[in-house]
Amino acid sequence: MQYLLLIYDEEKKWAAMSEAETGQMFQEYGGFTQAIKASGHHRAGEALQPISTATTVRVREGKTLTTDGPFAETREQLGGFYLIEAKDLDEAIAIAARIPSAKMGSIEVRPIQVYDEPMG
Amino acid sequence: MTTHAALIRVYREQIGRIVATLIRVLGDFDLAEEIAHDAFAAALEQWPTEGSPSNPAGWLVQTARHKAVDEVRRRAIGRRKLQQAQIVAEVEASFQPEPDVESGLEDDRLRLMFTCCHPALALEAQVALTLRTLGGLSTEEIARAFLVPPTTMAQRLVRAKGKIRDANIPYRVPPTEQLSERLDAVRAVVYLVFSEGYAATAGDAFIRRDLCNEAIRLGLLLAKLLPDRSETEGLCALMLLHDSRRDARLDDAGDIVLLEDQDRARWDEDEIREGLALTESALRKCARQPGPYALQAAISACHARAPRAQETDWRQIAVLYDILSEIHPTKIVSLNRAVAIAMLRGPEQGLAELDAIARGGELDGYYLFHAARADFLRRLGQLGAAAESYEKAKSLVLGDAERRFLDRRIAEVRRGS
């Protein structure tokens, strides 16, 4: 079986942290990632960019509807994810629109955070 | 014209294309704006003492280019010499000394329009970004136009630019299969800017006039860069024909003058001529049937062509509203269709139309619905009922000018009843 672990943080708390505090957190994350890699549990993991970069895509009656912001309703729950390689947001949106659930649910498109230094 | 006034004019005409090219070359909105403004600051400093250059636009592009090259060189420090020279050569090649004849620069503005009006940005952010980057309006001016605090507007712009950068919204004209949908979005932003400027609500009259001019300028640019688009020409025609009545639609006290009472000698002849020509062109270019902008322009053209209000071709207007209400059924279209029918067949017919569209109940909170109803009742001589509807309209209206107009009507019907 595979499990997806979803990390919920308050972006405001991260923004309010000092450099030393975020450094400490990154170090802990690095250690944790190494640990679950070594134990053979790790499959994939990425940090997401803030929700200000999010776009929500829906397809209704064959038309792609795009809106700024994350999907925020609680009626539907996160059911899965695809990690894709796309050259820009337009291509990512086009692929998101092809996911079958786009016709009834919503697909949130979130760019992956790229760090200058590998975090472990 | 003073040097300063000349510079401001050149600024408005050139800022969009200079920023657009800088964004392509540097890949950074903030840096592009900064360098463009540096170039204008240099002009502001040098022109009054050294005199205006013979080609002000060319001077600005050259200055921006030098500054961009400096910036790129500064950032390329540490890279190999050969690499550095390559980057600088690319930047230099991106700028052409004669912006007016170089189509590459025009494409940059088109790219910028599509990026600013990308559907992944919130509509208000699209509007603000378009006015900021293509129109060169300051954050304070845009904030004043949309009645929000400057800090809110500044945050909106920062967030939008951040999203373009971080989510990698492309800087390009969309491919053919997306073009018509994305063009709809650009036209919607342009029309929103115009409508905001044209609304007779409270706010800075000077800024509002600026918004209208800017929207018309952007619309005409879009029509020039992507010709053969009926709806773009329709939008331009619609804006020009509305704008032609700007001076006649308010009296000296700032009160609303209805279309039928306007002094048509005060309508702008040049704008009408251009608007009518574009309306005809838009109708010629449409594939099967005209779209919403071309139809609205055609309706506005009927008014523009009538030398006196009594000579308005209401038959033609009613036909156009029939088509429009089928392809673009909005509240305001249904209402205007009822008004056209009332003008053609009498207020009783108009009232019947209003009753038919009111059945859904969604128009009840809409002041123009009650104002139209009141007007039909007034013309039927049912003054008591008219006064009631005018009062209802007044309770829903937001603008001061509209409220004063309704007050005048209420006083009139009360005197008559």
Side-chain angles (χ1 to χ4, degrees):
Chain A
M1 275 201 49
Q2 289 191 330
Y3 293 93
L4 181 65
L5 307 184
L6 296 166
I7 303 163
Y8 288 89
D9 266 328
E10 275 184 52
E11 285 175 7
K12 272 184 194 159
K13 279 188 189 162
W14 274 93
M17 276 156 71
S18 71
E19 216 171 295
E21 285 170 322
T22 49
Q24 169 69 23
M25 281 295 278
F26 281 138
Q27 210 176 353
E28 283 179 33
Y29 261 110
F32 173 72
T33 308
Q34 286 298 350
I36 56 169
K37 272 183 178 169
S39 63
H41 290 101
H42 182 268
R43 288 292 172 274
E46 299 287 353
L48 297 179
Q49 288 200 30
I51 53 161
S52 61
T53 63
T55 304
T56 301
V57 180
R58 295 175 178 84
V59 174
R60 298 291 182 266
E61 289 159 16
K63 265 194 92 171
T64 304
L65 310 170
T66 312
T67 46
D68 182 33
F71 179 72
E73 273 184 66
T74 51
R75 195 160 40 82
E76 288 162 308
Q77 293 78 33
L78 186 65
F81 85 116
Y82 285 97
L83 183 63
I84 58 159
E85 183 70 45
K87 71 174 190 294
D88 55 38
L89 184 63
D90 278 358
E91 196 184 10
I93 288 172
I95 294 168
R98 286 161 51 201
I99 297 175
S101 284
K103 287 196 283 290
M104 31 191 259
S106 303
I107 311 298
E108 185 176 323
V109 180
R110 289 279 286 274
I112 295 298
Q113 186 80 52
V114 180
Y115 294 103
D116 290 339
E117 305 283 329
M119 16 178 298
Chain B
M1 203 185 305
T2 65
T3 313
H4 192 258
L7 182 62
I8 286 174
R9 215 194 53 198
V10 175
Y11 173 82
R12 272 294 155 77
E13 284 166 5
Q14 303 299 331
I15 184 80
R17 67 168 92 210
I18 292 175
V19 167
T21 299
L22 286 167
I23 291 172
R24 174 168 54 79
V25 174
L26 303 168
D28 184 326
F29 272 70
D30 287 326
L31 192 60
E33 279 180 28
E34 201 180 299
I35 287 177
H37 289 124
D38 279 355
F40 283 101
L44 203 55
E45 202 179 288
Q46 290 174 34
W47 294 9
T49 51
E50 294 162 27
S52 303
S54 58
N55 178 2
W59 189 97
L60 284 166
V61 172
Q62 286 295 346
T63 309
R65 182 182 132 199
H66 289 311
K67 288 180 187 294
V69 168
D70 285 347
E71 178 61 31
V72 167
R73 218 175 246 139
R74 199 181 60 74
R75 285 204 273 168
I77 286 173
R79 299 204 195 191
R80 293 211 322 275
K81 272 261 156 57
L82 188 68
Q83 236 181 344
Q84 243 192 62
Q86 234 168 13
I87 296 169
V88 169
E90 268 171 37
V91 172
E92 289 194 316
S94 301
F95 284 92
Q96 299 296 329
E98 290 293 330
D100 301 81
V101 293
E102 179 49 51
S103 63
L105 286 177
E106 301 286 14
D107 289 349
D108 282 338
R109 277 187 293 179
L110 201 52
R111 280 191 192 100
L112 185 52
M113 272 195 220
F114 280 108
T115 301
C116 290
C117 302
H118 196 282
L121 300 170
L123 189 57
E124 64 262 35
Q126 295 176 31
V127 170
L129 208 55
T130 301
L131 288 172
R132 178 85 193 101
T133 57
L134 281 152
L137 267 71
S138 71
T139 305
E140 290 73 26
E141 284 172 322
I142 306 168
R144 231 182 310 151
F146 290 91
L147 307 173
V148 300
T151 46
T152 307
M153 188 51 78
Q155 279 163 1
R156 195 175 288 174
L157 285 164
V158 166
R159 190 182 172 279
K161 285 187 267 192
K163 178 155 186 189
I164 289 172
R165 185 186 58 236
D166 299 336
N168 196 18
I169 291 177
Y171 193 58
R172 60 145 194 226
V173 176
T176 321
E177 71 271 16
Q178 293 173 4
L179 192 59
S180 82
E181 213 177 308
R182 295 285 306 278
L183 253 178
D184 283 344
V186 176
R187 281 192 289 256
V189 165
V190 170
Y191 194 46
L192 198 71
V193 170
F194 181 83
S195 305
E196 191 62 32
Y198 199 68
T201 45
D204 191 322
F206 192 71
I207 291 281
R208 287 182 177 273
R209 170 131 234 169
D210 236 22
L211 289 183
C212 288
N213 291 339
E214 193 51 38
I216 291 172
R217 204 181 62 78
L218 287 172
L220 290 172
L221 180 65
L222 195 60
K224 192 177 122 198
L225 298 180
L226 286 174
D228 295 324
R229 298 281 171 172
S230 168
E231 277 294 83
T232 308
E233 289 189 351
L235 167 65
C236 292
L238 179 63
M239 294 192 293
L240 283 162
L241 292 172
H242 275 302
D243 202 58
S244 73
R245 297 172 207 142
R246 169 173 278 278
D247 292 336
R249 63 203 271 271
L250 291 178
D251 66 14
D252 294 336
D255 282 331
I256 293 171
V257 183
L258 293 181
L259 194 55
E260 59 190 76
D261 302 322
Q262 285 175 14
D263 175 5
R264 296 183 181 220
R266 292 181 69 191
W267 288 1
D268 187 317
E269 276 179 50
D270 292 337
E271 282 189 312
I272 289 178
R273 207 175 305 118
E274 203 182 349
L276 290 178
L278 277 165
T279 305
E280 277 164 31
S281 176
L283 293 175
R284 259 199 317 273
K285 278 179 184 168
C286 64
R288 277 163 305 162
Q289 64 167 8
Y293 290 119
L295 280 170
Q296 290 175 83
I299 291 164
S300 204
C302 290
H303 293 296
R305 282 200 202 94
R308 295 181 307 146
Q310 299 90 307
E311 292 170 66
T312 309
D313 188 350
W314 287 106
R315 188 170 304 278
Q316 178 69 24
I317 292 175
V319 169
L320 290 166
Y321 270 121
D322 280 344
I323 308 171
L324 186 58
S325 63
E326 264 177 42
I327 62 164
H328 191 64
T330 66
K331 285 192 287 189
I332 192 87
V333 169
S334 313
L335 262 183
N336 284 335
R337 186 172 163 271
V339 172
I341 288 169
M343 294 306 289
L344 188 65
R345 305 205 193 101
E348 256 169 36
Q349 285 290 321
L351 218 46
E353 281 298 320
L354 279 189
D355 287 341
I357 57 177
R359 254 167 232 143
E362 65 197 55
L363 285 166
D364 206 47
Y366 192 41
Y367 95 89
L368 278 173
F369 170 77
H370 297 284
R373 199 182 157 74
D375 190 55
F376 297 163
L377 289 166
R378 177 180 64 91
R379 284 193 274 158
L380 283 169
Q382 300 179 25
L383 300 182
E388 256 173 63
S389 282
Y390 278 127
E391 290 284 2
K392 178 83 184 156
K394 197 184 137 188
S395 71
L396 295 165
V397 81
L398 291 173
D400 288 340
E402 284 90 345
R403 189 172 296 116
R404 287 199 301 275
F405 170 80
L406 292 169
D407 274 334
R408 286 207 308 275
R409 281 289 202 239
I410 290 166
E412 271 171 41
V413 292
R414 286 262 155 78
R415 264 201 306 279
S417 63

